[in-house]
């Protein structure tokens, strides 16, 4: 199963040090990560190689833990097609490109969510 992920360091410390409504912050960041995982899923589906549409249909997201979402495909050849595709080389990196393109937006969204929560 191909499931790239993004790791955030320091969130536990931020939550521990922040005295105002940590549960609300967790919910807000969870919502932001879910929304960004959906964008990654959508972009990966658009970029995925299309022969039988099986790979496109198999790309999905699921929550692994609070604030942690995975975008994945359970098709056995999903990982191979992400890295190798001699027939359609323009589709190489359909999932990893989508992930890396979304990283900056995810970081901005998290900063914005934390900024908004500080106003409470």
């Amino acid at each position: 199963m191909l499931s790239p992920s993004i790791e955030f360091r320091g969130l536990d410390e931020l939550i521990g040090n922040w005295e105002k409504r940590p549960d609300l912050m967790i919910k807000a960041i969870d919502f932001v990560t879910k929304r960004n995982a959906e964008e990654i899923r959508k972009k990966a589906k658009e970029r995925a190689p299309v022969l039988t549409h099986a790979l496109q249909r198999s790309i999905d997201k699921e929550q692994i833990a609070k604030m942690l979402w995975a975008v994945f495909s359970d098709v056995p050849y999903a990982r191979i097609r992400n890295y190798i595709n001699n027939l359609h080389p323009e589709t190489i990196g359909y999932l990893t490109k989508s992930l890396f393109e979304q990283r900056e937006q995810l970081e901005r969204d998290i900063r914005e969510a934390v900024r908004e929560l500080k106003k409470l």
Side-chain angles (χ1 to χ4, degrees), residues 8-117:
F8 295 99
R9 294 187 181 107
L11 284 177
D12 290 337
E13 181 181 335
L14 178 63
I15 291 168
N17 292 338
W18 196 47
E19 297 175 9
K20 296 179 182 176
R21 303 183 187 194
D23 290 339
L24 185 57
M25 188 167 86
I26 289 170
K27 287 178 184 177
I29 293 174
D30 187 55
F31 175 76
V32 166
T33 54
K34 177 183 179 180
R35 188 177 65 213
N36 279 268
E38 179 58 31
E39 282 300 310
I40 294 166
R41 185 192 70 80
K42 191 169 95 177
K43 289 177 185 177
K45 280 185 167 226
E46 291 170 2
R47 289 183 163 140
V50 179
L51 184 60
T52 65
H53 294 274
L55 180 56
Q56 277 185 326
R57 285 191 301 268
S58 73
I59 298 171
D60 205 356
K61 72 178 188 321
E62 72 177 352
Q63 189 166 22
I64 305 299
K66 286 186 180 183
M67 303 182 291
L68 180 60
W69 289 79
V71 177
F72 65 94
S73 170
D74 58 1
V75 170
Y77 55 85
R79 181 175 292 190
I80 293 168
R81 286 295 161 255
N82 188 60
Y83 297 107
I84 302 168
N85 192 336
N86 295 330
L87 187 58
H88 298 287
E90 70 279 2
T91 64
I92 292 173
Y94 69 92
L95 187 55
T96 52
K97 285 178 185 176
S98 300
L99 169 72
F100 288 117
E101 282 180 5
Q102 195 67 26
R103 281 170 68 170
E104 287 182 26
Q105 182 63 49
L106 175 60
E107 290 172 6
R108 282 193 301 268
D109 289 350
I110 289 174
R111 279 193 296 273
E112 180 63 25
V114 170
R115 231 179 284 132
E116 289 299 314
L117 289 170

